Amino acid sequence: MKRPSFFLFVLVSFCLLYDTLYGKDGYNLWLQYAKIESPELVDAYRKNTHKITLPQNSSTTNIIKNELTKAFKGMLLTSPEFSEKNIENHNLVIGTRDNFPWLIELVDKKQLDSLGQEGFIIKSTFFKDQPITVITGNSDLALLYGTFEFLKLIQTHKSISDLNITSIPKTKIRVLNHWDNLDRSVERGYAGSSIWNWHLLPDHIDQQYLDYARANASIGINGTVLTNVNANALVLTPSYLKKAAALAEVFRPYGIKVYLTARFSAPIEIGNLKTADPLDKNVQKWWKEKAEEIYSYIPNFGGFLVKADSEGQPGPHNYGRTQADGANLLAQALKPFGGIVMWRAFVYSEDTPDDRAKQAYNEFKPLDGKFDNNVLVQVKNGPIDFQPREPVHPLFGAMPQTPLMMEFQITQEYLGQGTHLVYLSKLYEEILSTDINAKGPGSTVAKIIDGSLENHPLSGMAGVSNIGTARNWTGNHFGQANWYAFGKLAWNPYEKSEKIAKDWIEMTFSSDPQFINTSLDIMMESHEAVVNYMTPLGLHHIMDWNHHYGPGPWVTDKHRDDWTSTYYHQAGADGIGFDRTSSGSNALSQYSSTIQNQFTNLKTCPEKYLLWFHHLPWSYQMQSGKTLWEELAFRYQKGVDQTTQALQQWSTLEGKIDDERYKHILSFLKIQEKEAKWWKNACLLYFQQFSKSPLPQGVDDPKKTLEDYKKYNPQFVPGI
Ligand code: BDP
C-alpha cells in the first residue's frame, strides 16, 4: 500500500516542479490543466471522475484515456482508475451505443441519431441508482470532442454534477490553411518557421505534429491544408505525397484530414503535358490519375484548396475558361474518392479596369449553379484583403446555389503582425452576425456559412493559420486566442466572442477573477483599438509596400495600382475616401437593396464604413459634430490611448501569472503602443498635407516629420 502512494507523491512533485520550470512558455496552449486550488472543487471533481469506464478499441479512445490522465493529474493531482467494461460503481462513462447498448435507455435515440458523426452528448444521469456522467456520440471522434468539452468545464471551474449538453458542429469542414512553403518559410507567418519539417518527413515524426493535432481536436478543427495557396506543384509528386501521408497518419485518430493546395499548372510542371486547359482530355485524365495516386498514399485525403488566376497564379483564365471549369476539373477527379475542392474567390487582376472590391463578385456571381456538388467557393470575409476592418464580402448572399465557405485570416498580416494584441474573434463575429438580408431580415452570414439558409449539405470555415515553430506556437501569446476562437466559431458560428475569450483566459492563464476581467477588457477592446490607430472610419489598405508592416499611406506609382495606398484612400485637397456609390465605382450595387440603401445614405451609413463607400470633404460634419478631419485625428489618437490603457491594465497583473508569460506579453504591449503612435503620426502627417488643418486639441503632436516616417525602411520583415 505504501509504495504506490509514495511513488504517486514523487510523480506529482516532479510534475509540479517540471511545470514551474518549463511549463509556462505557452507551449501547452489552452490545455494547461493547472492545479485547482480550491479543495471543495477538487473534491467534487474527484468524486465524479475517479472511476472511468472507457472501451479501448481505437487509437482515438487511447488518446482520450491519455488526455484524461494528463488532465486529472494536472488539475486534481489524481490518476483515475480506468475500466473498459465495468460500470458498477463507476462515475464517468465514455462510449458509443455500440459500446454500451443500454445507453439507449438513458439518452433519447432520436437525439443520438441527430448527432451525426461528430456531435456529442454529456449528460448527468443514473445507472442502477448510481449517479454517473455519460459522454456519448456516434463515433470515437465524437467521444474525443465530448471529452475535451467535459475537461473544459473543469478547467473553467464549472459544476459537473447536473449536465445536459448536446453539441453538434454547425459546419462540416473546419480547416486551417497553412500558407507554408516547402522550404519551411511561411507566407505572412510571424511565429517562426513552418512546423512541417518536409526534409525529415516521412521518417521523423516530430512530437509537435501530435501536439498540433491534439490542440486542434480540442477545439473541433477537422482539417488542415498543409501548403501555401501560392502553390508548389512538387507537393503532388510521390516523394512529397509520402511525407504528407505520414502527417495524415498522425492526424487521423484526432479526426483531422489532410488537404493540399493544387497548382493549376501542375500537369505541365510535373506531368509533362503541354497544357493545363481544364477542357483538355489529357489534362482531365492527368488529374484523375493524380487523385487516384494521392488516395493510394492518403486514403482519407480531404481534397484540394486552389488559388487560381490571382496575383500571378495560373488558372483557367489562361485558357479562356471559367472558374467553374477549373474547379470542376479537380472536383471530378476527386469525386470517386469523396474528396472536395475549396476554390478561392480571391480572384482579381490589375488589368481589369474596375474597382478591385467588385471583381470577385463580377467573376463568380454569374457562375452560381455551375459548380459540381463537391466544390465549395471559399470567400474572404471582406472584398479587399483581410484589412483591420472591412464590410462583408458582397458574394455572401449572392450565390444561393453554391456552398460558400468563409476564409478568415488568423495570422495578423494587416493587424500588427507578430506583436500586436488583437482579439480577432470580434472581427469574425462582426462579419458572421452581419445581416445581409439575402432572404429577408435575419439572413446572417453565419447562416450562409453553416449552409442553413439554402440547405446546403456542404459547409465550412477556413482560417489562415498563425502557427509556427515559436515555442508558444503563435509568437504572441494572445495569438493563441485567435486560433482557439477560430475553432470555436467554426464549430458554432453563433458563439459569442466574450464567452470564448473568458474560457480561453481561464484555461490558458488563471482563474483569478481580477486576471480574467482585466485580460477580458483588454481583449474585447483590442480590435476597435487597432482599427482606430491603423484605419479608422473605413480607411483601408494604407500599409507599407509588400511586407505590409507599418503605415504607408504614401505608397503610390507602383507596377500595380491596386496594391498602392493612394488607390484606396483617394486623399486630395477635396477630401478623402473611396466613392463606391453610383457616382463612383458603384460597388454598393453588389449588395442587397437593404444594405445598398443603408450604406448609400450618408445619414445611415455606419461611420465605421464611411470612407470605404464615400469620398467626403475634410469639412464634412460627423455625427459627433466634428469635421471629418477632426474626427479622423481623434480616432487615431483614441487608438493610441487604447493601447496605452491596455499596457497599464496589463501592468496591474504582475504576479498573477508566471513571470515568463507576463513579461513576454508586457514587452509586446510596449511595442504595440510604440507602433500605434507610429501609425497615428505617419498617417495624420500624411493626410494633413491635404486637409491643411491643424491637429485638433487633444491630439498629440508628432515628434518627427512626415519625411522621417517615409524614409524609415525596415529590413527583413518576416512573412514575405
Ligand atoms: C494577401 C497576402 C498574400 C496572399 C494573398 C492570398 O498579402 O501573401 O497570397 O492574400 O490570399 O493577403 O492569396
Side-chain angles (χ1 to χ4, degrees), residues 179 187-188 230 307 311 344 346 380 385 413 548:
W179 287 359
E187 186 160 332
R188 311 308 178 186
N230 294 317
K307 170 176 179 176
E311 301 182 336
R344 297 178 88 220
F346 186 62
K380 289 189 183 186
D385 191 13
E413 175 181 0
H548 300 167

Side-chain angles (χ1 to χ4, degrees), residues 271-291:
N272 285 324
L273 297 190
K274 295 231 154 34
T275 176
D277 183 347
L279 301 193
D280 182 287
K281 291 275 169 289
N282 288 327
V283 172
Q284 293 168 355
K285 183 165 167 275
W286 188 86
W287 281 109
K288 284 206 159 114
E289 287 169 3
K290 185 48 75 183

Side-chain angles (χ1 to χ4, degrees), residues 36-46:
I36 296 174
E37 299 297 343
S38 148
E40 294 81 45
L41 273 182
V42 171
D43 213 41
Y45 290 145
R46 277 188 191 159

Side-chain angles (χ1 to χ4, degrees), residues 14-311:
F14 174 76
C15 290
L16 288 176
L17 184 68
Y18 180 89
D19 204 42
T20 327
L21 291 179
Y22 306 105
K24 301 302 181 197
D25 52 15
Y27 187 78
N28 292 334
L29 298 161
W30 46 88
L31 301 170
Q32 298 282 326
Y33 296 140
K35 179 173 168 273
I36 296 174
E37 299 297 343
S38 148
E40 294 81 45
L41 273 182
V42 171
D43 213 41
Y45 290 145
R46 277 188 191 159
K47 257 192 216 136
N48 283 299
T49 58
H50 72 285
K51 288 190 171 188
I52 303 175
T53 312
L54 170 69
Q56 284 299 293
N57 42 18
S58 71
S59 21
T60 305
T61 49
N62 197 26
I63 289 167
I64 297 175
K65 185 174 178 186
N66 290 339
E67 198 63 38
L68 290 166
T69 308
K70 193 173 185 147
F72 293 141
K73 212 179 264 173
M75 293 190 286
L76 311 177
L77 307 185
T78 49
S79 292
E81 228 179 78
F82 283 94
S83 158
E84 289 208 36
K85 286 201 187 85
N86 184 18
I87 294 155
E88 305 288 328
N89 298 324
H90 273 223
N91 32 47
L92 178 59
V93 179
I94 304 174
T96 62
R97 65 187 133 165
D98 288 344
N99 304 133
F100 305 117
W102 51 264
L103 269 173
I104 277 306
E105 323 253 309
L106 301 181
V107 188
D108 183 31
K109 179 175 180 302
K110 252 210 197 130
Q111 205 188 348
L112 264 180
D113 289 342
S114 72
L115 296 176
Q117 286 304 297
E118 295 183 311
F120 58 83
I121 289 172
I122 309 177
K123 193 167 176 174
S124 311
T125 176
F126 288 89
F127 182 77
K128 296 192 182 159
D129 295 336
Q130 273 286 122
I132 57 166
T133 309
V134 170
I135 301 179
T136 188
N138 296 320
S139 71
D140 289 350
L141 178 61
L143 303 181
L144 179 63
Y145 288 152
T147 301
F148 276 119
E149 182 68 24
F150 181 69
L151 288 173
K152 187 181 92 183
L153 295 172
I154 302 183
Q155 287 175 281
T156 54
H157 299 190
K158 304 280 178 337
S159 159
I160 54 165
S161 53
D162 194 15
L163 300 174
N164 192 2
I165 298 172
T166 302
S167 183
I168 306 168
K170 295 207 185 292
T171 67
K172 298 245 164 26
I173 294 153
R174 308 178 295 278
V175 281
L176 288 182
N177 287 184
H178 287 264
W179 287 359
D180 294 18
N181 299 313
L182 300 180
D183 64 2
R184 299 194 74 178
S185 59
V186 181
E187 186 160 332
R188 311 308 178 186
Y190 311 101
S193 310
S194 166
I195 61 172
W196 318 131
N197 191 334
W198 293 102
H199 182 60
L200 295 186
L201 279 165
D203 299 324
H204 173 68
I205 298 299
D206 204 273
Q207 177 61 35
Q208 198 172 3
Y209 304 152
L210 289 143
D211 296 335
Y212 167 88
R214 169 181 171 239
N216 278 320
S218 78
I219 50 176
I221 288 175
N222 66 2
T224 176
V225 186
L226 300 176
T227 44
N228 193 354
V229 285
N230 294 317
N232 187 332
L234 267 186
V235 80
L236 303 179
T237 58
S239 64
Y240 277 93
L241 289 175
K242 278 185 202 141
K243 296 168 192 278
L247 288 173
E249 193 64 33
V250 172
F251 300 159
R252 193 168 305 147
Y254 294 89
I256 294 166
K257 280 188 182 178
V258 155
Y259 299 77
L260 294 171
T261 44
R263 188 162 159 88
F264 201 74
S265 50
I268 303 172
E269 285 156 26
I270 57 168
N272 285 324
L273 297 190
K274 295 231 154 34
T275 176
D277 183 347
L279 301 193
D280 182 287
K281 291 275 169 289
N282 288 327
V283 172
Q284 293 168 355
K285 183 165 167 275
W286 188 86
W287 281 109
K288 284 206 159 114
E289 287 169 3
K290 185 48 75 183
E292 205 173 324
E293 186 186 0
I294 296 175
Y295 279 92
S296 74
Y297 288 105
I298 312 173
N300 69 335
F301 179 62
F304 293 132
L305 168 65
V306 188
K307 170 176 179 176
D309 296 317
S310 172
E311 301 182 336

